[in-house]
Amino acid sequence: MMGDYIVVCDKSFKLLQSENRKVRKENLDKLLTVVHDENFEESPEFMQAVKTFVYPCLNDGSEACRESAVQLVRTLVCDGCVEEIAPIVFVIHKRMGNISMLESSEEVKLLYIQLLRDIIKNYEQLIFPCLDDIVSILTKSILDSCPAVKKDSCLCAAELASATKTRFHMVAELLVEPLLKATNYHQSAVRYTAIQSLNYVIMYSNGKQVPEVCSSISNRLFDQNVGVRLALCRVVSNWMLNLPDRYSYFPKLIPFILTAQVDDHLPNREEAERLWDEIGNQYINENEVQLKEKLDFLPDHLNHYPPNVKRPNLGCRTLVTREVLKLLPVIIRELDDWKEDISIKSGQLLCVVALNAENSVIQHLNQLLTAMTKCCRQPDHVASNHVRRAAEIMSYFISPSTYLKFLLPTMSDIEPHVGHLIILSGLLKNVKSFELSTHVKSIITFLEKPEICEVYDPLFKKYLLQVIEYVLVACESECQEFSYELFKIYITVQSTTLDQFDDNFIFEKLINMCEPKTKEQLFKTHGERLLNELNDSCDSWVVHSPGREVLDKIALDAEYVILSCYEIYRQILTKTLYNLDKDPKFLMKMLININTCVDKDIFNDKQLWQIISGIIFPILTWRPGKTAESLRAASCLCAQIINKKFTCFDETMLNLSFPIFLALADDNHCKTRAYALDTLHCLICAAKSLNKLNADTINNVTRVALARLNDNPGNTRFKAINLIKATYTQPLPNDYMVHYEAHVAQLYKTLVIFLDDQDIQQSILDLLKDLSWMKPEVLIKHINVNVFSHKHFAQNLMDYLSDNLSQISLTNTE
């Protein structure tokens, strides 16, 4: 059989020199079949013939021939038949390693690389002379456009590094750049393989490329593929555990392993934490002498520590402490990065650094707090949540004495914003009571400043209350002597919210500081002082002044403060409403405040009269302009509400009030006229009850009421009808009907006209019936049914009057 093989092989070898490519292909396949046969045994003559006739076919002009030749040589290489690999590598280098690559077939290029991998696996000792050529091939093939070629080339580079450990450092640098480019390839499988290959290339290099590599692969921390991120974590941890001279590269490597601990994928985080713990333990073992004192005396567990969090071992803490001065500036810079994902990762990294560095972050605290507050200035930024969490972690390790001396002066020097309070509240959340107690006064005094507690931003207020809450939780007894300041801050903050006072932890604590522990007692304790302060500042109020809003909140929820401090309240009203040239919106708000208090029935008649006569009446004086018109309407409404609250009028009050509201009943503003008519109705009833209604008043009221019947359709006409009815309801002054019969006749004559007004004819009919008691015989003379469009109303009135007159005649006859 061997003889047959020899004959076939000799013939096939000779035919490989044929000019016909099909013949070359057929004979290469025949040789491949021979070497695949289980009975085949190579001989020196056969291998010499392969070298002479087959190796040139690796560079054949025909793609099919090259493919078959590579497969044949791969088989011989894997079987260990080849004694010299240089000719093979030379051909592959010629096809793929030159500046202009000759090989165009992706399939053949892949086979070339697979052949190289087979050579590296089977002939480790023979590849040293060819090392430069192989590296030259890989530097090109790693950058090939074919993903399969790229991937196998990366694997080949890793295998080459492992196979040539002792001499690989001389060529490693050449492969770094192509592999780094491959880590950015769009296929995740290629990126994964490139990172894995970098592990070996760097491990057996001289290490000088580590900084360059770290800078280039940092983007893979944000890779969308979970496996790529995990591969990077494992590669970096392997370098930190096994790389020669690794400690010098830790400043570059530690951020990777720390960032991996905040990966979005839980298994990745757990693996990173396990590897970080392993790195820390190895560091302890390798530096046991230097760490002996810390190992002997520092506790492994702290009582005051973030809950449900495992404390990093001493090695981890020491490594981060050593590098914190290099880590923090990078974090500070990247917290403000325009790319959101980088900013988020920096915030997450800060949490891990804070947990590992503990109190070592003090060295960069001022700059760090500045960056943290700036990041949290936009609370909707996802990174702000992580930065806030970092502040909460830092609160376990840094005393208030340290961070308050940075934060409070900063907030005083520049305009405070919500970021300051987010960070301050985070730092105070887990503070130790004894450490904070000496700073309670400075914190509360600072928060009481107008530029802090009077900021309008709702989010700013939310975190301001949170700061106070944490201070109260930690140092409630020390806050006792500052209860007024806390009360003032709280009510100032709450003045622009819809929340009730007693729906808050802070308010409950403030109540507990009083005796008895009630809301009313709290306001009685501090209300007068607060109103006095408002009285001192009210001259400068505008519509959105916090002081005005505080007064509104008191009127709404704590009116008993105004009841007990009425004089102060009246002074505030006098100061704020005396100048009618102020912003009309502000004046309106103050009138609403008065209405709120009046509605709660807290004033007596004397106080009500002081408010209406001393404060409201001056505003009711006519002034030109639409703004003054609207203000009069609001003031007239306020006066109407107050008049309804009087339990008793006197003659002086009536004499002063009637002229004002008679004039207002002719105002241009329809609402002012309506409110004035309502008030006149109230005054007429009061005058009748006191028997102080005179003929002049009746006539004046009648005049303005009749004029209002000509208003556009609306409530004003019905209010005028009701006012006339109230005015002429019995009793009238004794001599009125004697002296003013003509006036009554004119009244009838005017009202009868409106029986044809569809909007009010029913109300006019009812009114005329009610008023007919005065002079029915006069009224009936003014009614001519035939002149009315709606005759049934006139006829109804005529029938009613005829019946009444008949009854009167019968009564007189009897």
Side-chain angles (χ1 to χ4, degrees):
M1 287 295 296
M2 278 302 297
D4 294 339
Y5 275 134
I6 293 170
V7 172
V8 170
C9 290
D10 286 345
K11 184 178 178 181
S12 294
F13 283 133
K14 290 177 181 177
L15 289 173
L16 290 180
Q17 294 179 307
S18 170
E19 293 184 1
N20 190 321
R21 62 185 177 184
K22 289 184 179 179
V23 173
R24 297 197 301 274
K25 165 69 175 170
E26 288 172 2
N27 285 277
L28 284 169
D29 291 340
K30 285 180 183 179
L31 289 171
L32 185 60
T33 302
V34 170
V35 298
H36 277 161
D37 192 292
E38 59 184 13
N39 296 317
F40 171 75
E41 293 181 7
E42 77 282 0
S43 64
E45 293 80 9
F46 180 85
M47 291 310 300
Q48 183 61 41
V50 167
K51 182 178 179 181
T52 304
F53 299 107
V54 176
Y55 285 1
C57 291
L58 292 172
N59 191 30
D60 196 277
S62 167
E63 177 183 330
C65 293
R66 295 197 302 276
E67 186 174 340
S68 295
V70 173
Q71 291 171 344
L72 174 59
V73 175
R74 281 193 68 191
T75 303
L76 295 172
V77 166
C78 291
D79 290 343
C81 303
V82 176
E83 294 182 356
E84 191 176 358
I85 64 168
I88 303 173
V89 173
F90 174 79
V91 175
I92 298 173
H93 183 268
K94 183 177 181 180
R95 297 293 306 179
M96 295 183 63
N98 290 319
I99 296 175
S100 57
M101 186 180 293
L102 294 177
E103 187 56 60
S104 58
S105 168
E106 291 182 350
E107 290 79 5
V108 177
K109 284 189 282 190
L110 181 60
L111 286 172
Y112 283 148
I113 300 302
Q114 289 171 345
L115 175 56
L116 279 181
R117 293 182 65 189
D118 292 336
I119 290 172
I120 292 168
K121 289 176 186 175
N122 293 279
Y123 300 96
E124 287 186 10
Q125 300 304 316
L126 299 179
I127 60 178
F128 288 109
C130 305
L131 189 57
D132 289 340
D133 285 346
I134 295 175
V135 169
S136 178
I137 295 167
L138 293 177
T139 56
K140 306 292 189 305
S141 61
I142 290 173
L143 299 177
D144 194 83
S145 58
C146 176
V149 174
K150 292 174 80 73
K151 185 177 177 181
D152 267 53
S153 298
C154 291
L155 293 172
C156 185
E159 291 162 357
L160 179 66
S162 298
T164 59
K165 299 174 185 176
T166 56
R167 299 170 69 178
F168 184 74
H169 64 276
M170 296 186 294
V171 294
E173 187 175 354
L174 298 173
L175 290 172
V176 169
E177 185 177 348
L179 285 172
L180 288 178
K181 290 180 179 179
T183 61
N184 293 318
Y185 194 67
H186 62 86
Q187 285 192 7
S188 59
V190 173
R191 298 198 300 274
Y192 177 89
T193 307
I195 289 173
Q196 293 280 34
S197 299
L198 270 174
N199 176 40
Y200 295 96
V201 170
I202 294 299
M203 184 61 65
Y204 303 118
S205 70
N206 55 21
K208 292 180 181 179
Q209 293 77 37
V210 171
E212 177 192 350
V213 169
C214 289
S215 298
S216 298
I217 62 174
S218 58
N219 285 338
R220 293 307 104 217
L221 290 169
F222 311 104
D223 200 284
Q224 294 180 348
N225 186 274
V226 173
V228 173
R229 299 198 303 271
L230 182 60
L232 180 59
C233 171
R234 288 173 172 165
V235 166
V236 168
S237 61
N238 180 56
W239 291 344
M240 295 182 75
L241 289 168
N242 301 306
L243 199 65
D245 198 23
R246 53 188 170 276
Y247 289 158
S248 60
Y249 307 125
F250 271 22
K252 293 288 185 181
L253 298 175
I254 286 176
F256 282 85
I257 193 67
L258 294 180
T259 305
Q261 294 177 55
V262 293
D263 193 276
D264 296 333
H265 192 56
L266 178 60
N268 281 21
R269 293 200 300 272
E270 292 174 343
E271 177 72 357
E273 289 166 1
R274 183 189 68 78
L275 292 169
W276 177 235
D277 189 65
E278 185 180 339
I279 292 166
N281 285 324
Q282 178 176 295
Y283 183 80
I284 293 173
N285 295 332
E286 292 176 349
N287 298 272
E288 193 170 354
V289 176
Q290 296 92 320
L291 299 175
K292 188 175 188 314
E293 287 189 12
K294 292 182 178 180
L295 288 168
D296 292 343
F297 298 107
L298 289 181
D300 290 333
H301 304 284
L302 300 177
N303 295 328
H304 189 62
Y305 199 78
N308 305 318
V309 176
K310 180 184 176 183
R311 191 185 188 196
N313 62 53
L314 178 61
C316 296
R317 301 198 306 273
T318 304
L319 283 172
V320 173
T321 300
R322 280 179 50 189
E323 306 300 337
V324 73
L325 290 178
K326 298 173 184 175
L327 288 169
L328 288 181
V330 177
I331 293 174
I332 289 169
R333 184 177 66 251
E334 294 188 344
L335 276 177
D336 194 34
D337 197 276
W338 65 275
K339 292 183 180 178
E340 190 177 72
D341 52 353
I342 293 178
S343 180
I344 291 170
K345 281 295 180 185
S346 298
Q348 294 172 326
L349 180 57
L350 181 59
C351 293
V352 181
V353 170
L355 197 65
N356 283 269
E358 297 186 352
N359 62 356
S360 300
V361 297
I362 292 174
Q363 299 172 77
H364 261 295
L365 190 60
N366 192 10
Q367 297 93 318
L368 181 59
L369 289 176
T370 301
M372 292 170 72
T373 55
K374 185 177 181 181
C375 180
C376 291
R377 188 166 192 167
Q378 299 175 335
D380 56 337
H381 194 328
V382 182
S384 66
N385 297 327
H386 304 297
V387 172
R388 161 68 187 227
R389 172 63 183 153
E392 292 176 5
I393 293 171
M394 289 160 61
S395 69
Y396 285 97
F397 311 115
I398 305 175
S399 72
S401 303
T402 304
Y403 55 75
L404 287 177
K405 69 181 180 182
F406 293 127
L407 269 179
L408 297 186
T410 300
M411 293 174 70
S412 297
D413 294 341
I414 64 174
E415 182 180 351
H417 54 76
V418 67
H420 291 119
L421 290 180
I422 289 176
I423 298 304
L424 180 58
S425 62
L427 291 169
L428 291 172
K429 184 175 182 179
N430 305 296
V431 70
K432 296 176 185 175
S433 299
F434 71 90
E435 290 183 342
L436 185 63
S437 58
T438 57
H439 302 284
V440 169
K441 180 179 180 180
S442 61
I443 292 175
I444 295 177
T445 303
F446 177 77
L447 297 180
E448 189 192 7
K449 293 180 177 180
E451 60 267 28
I452 303 296
C453 70
E454 294 182 359
V455 172
Y456 192 78
D457 179 15
L459 206 58
F460 188 94
K461 293 183 177 184
K462 171 188 172 182
Y463 285 103
L464 174 57
L465 292 182
Q466 198 171 85
V467 169
I468 295 173
E469 181 178 331
Y470 293 153
V471 173
L472 277 168
V473 168
C475 303
E476 184 174 353
S477 57
E478 287 81 1
C479 290
Q480 184 82 38
E481 64 177 294
F482 304 104
S483 61
Y484 171 73
E485 288 76 11
L486 292 173
F487 170 79
K488 178 185 173 183
I489 295 169
Y490 180 74
I491 193 174
T492 302
V493 169
Q494 291 290 73
S495 63
T496 53
T497 69
L498 298 177
D499 300 335
Q500 293 296 316
F501 281 127
D502 45 2
D503 289 344
N504 192 282
F505 168 85
I506 298 172
F507 197 66
E508 293 174 2
K509 289 293 183 184
L510 291 172
I511 290 174
N512 288 335
M513 293 178 184
C514 299
E515 223 25 85
K517 296 177 171 55
T518 63
K519 171 183 173 180
E520 189 168 345
Q521 182 58 43
L522 174 64
F523 276 93
K524 284 181 178 178
T525 303
H526 302 304
E528 184 175 359
R529 182 176 173 184
L530 181 60
L531 279 181
N532 274 317
E533 289 191 12
L534 294 179
N535 189 21
D536 293 337
S537 64
C538 66
D539 287 330
S540 60
W541 285 358
V542 292
V543 65
H544 290 304
S545 291
R548 188 202 61 74
E549 291 168 339
V550 168
L551 190 66
D552 279 354
K553 198 69 173 178
I554 293 174
L556 192 65
D557 288 327
E559 66 278 1
Y560 35 79
V561 174
I562 292 175
L563 176 62
S564 61
C565 305
Y566 164 74
E567 282 302 323
I568 304 173
Y569 177 69
R570 189 164 68 89
Q571 289 174 28
I572 293 173
L573 295 181
T574 303
K575 290 180 180 179
T576 52
L577 290 171
Y578 84 96
N579 182 3
L580 299 184
D581 292 327
K582 282 190 174 183
D583 179 7
K585 291 182 180 179
F586 167 71
L587 298 174
M588 292 282 194
K589 291 284 188 182
M590 293 305 300
L591 290 172
I592 293 171
N593 185 281
I594 295 174
N595 290 345
T596 303
C597 293
V598 171
D599 281 339
K600 291 179 178 289
D601 296 322
I602 63 174
F603 301 125
N604 58 36
D605 283 356
K606 179 183 177 182
Q607 293 168 337
L608 288 171
W609 179 247
Q610 286 177 332
I611 292 173
I612 193 172
S613 62
I615 297 168
I616 304 301
F617 282 177
I619 306 176
L620 293 174
T621 304
W622 187 88
R623 295 166 66 243
K626 292 290 184 183
T627 301
E629 197 174 89
S630 299
L631 188 59
R632 275 198 306 280
S635 305
C636 199
L637 172 61
C638 187
Q640 176 203 343
I641 293 170
I642 293 174
N643 272 290
K644 288 181 179 179
K645 295 294 182 179
F646 281 119
T647 58
C648 182
F649 285 84
D650 60 33
E651 189 173 0
T652 303
M653 294 165 64
L654 293 173
N655 291 338
L656 288 172
S657 299
F658 267 119
I660 293 173
F661 292 100
L662 284 169
L664 290 170
D666 284 326
D667 196 89
N668 288 335
H669 201 297
C670 62
K671 288 186 177 180
T672 303
R673 299 196 297 272
Y675 299 145
L677 292 173
D678 280 340
T679 306
L680 287 170
H681 189 288
C682 180
L683 294 173
I684 285 289
C685 295
K688 284 196 171 189
S689 66
L690 293 172
N691 198 22
K692 298 294 182 183
L693 184 61
N694 57 53
D696 286 341
T697 302
I698 292 173
N699 295 337
N700 288 329
V701 169
T702 304
R703 175 184 56 78
V704 299
L706 289 175
R708 297 286 66 78
L709 293 177
N710 291 306
D711 278 7
N712 291 327
N715 289 335
T716 310
R717 310 173 84 191
F718 295 102
K719 291 180 184 294
I721 292 169
N722 290 333
L723 178 57
I724 294 171
K725 179 181 177 180
T727 303
Y728 288 97
T729 301
Q730 297 186 48
L732 288 175
N734 295 331
D735 59 346
Y736 186 79
M737 297 306 297
V738 177
H739 298 294
Y740 292 97
E741 183 177 344
H743 183 87
V744 173
Q746 183 62 39
L747 172 64
Y748 285 154
K749 183 178 179 181
T750 305
L751 290 176
V752 165
I753 296 171
F754 289 96
L755 275 176
D756 244 0
D757 190 320
Q758 293 184 36
D759 293 317
I760 59 173
Q761 56 193 177
Q762 183 62 53
S763 298
I764 291 292
L765 175 62
D766 295 338
L767 176 62
L768 285 169
K769 288 179 180 180
D770 289 335
L771 300 188
S772 64
W773 68 271
M774 294 185 290
K775 293 288 181 180
E777 69 281 4
V778 175
L779 175 57
I780 203 167
K781 291 179 182 178
H782 291 289
I783 303 172
N784 183 356
V785 175
N786 294 323
V787 302
F788 289 98
S789 300
H790 302 86
K791 294 180 174 56
H792 60 285
F793 282 98
Q795 188 61 54
N796 186 313
L797 181 57
M798 285 291 290
D799 294 343
Y800 175 81
L801 292 173
S802 298
D803 291 342
N804 281 355
L805 288 171
S806 298
Q807 291 176 5
I808 293 170
S809 298
L810 287 172
T811 303
N812 291 336
T813 302
E814 291 175 0

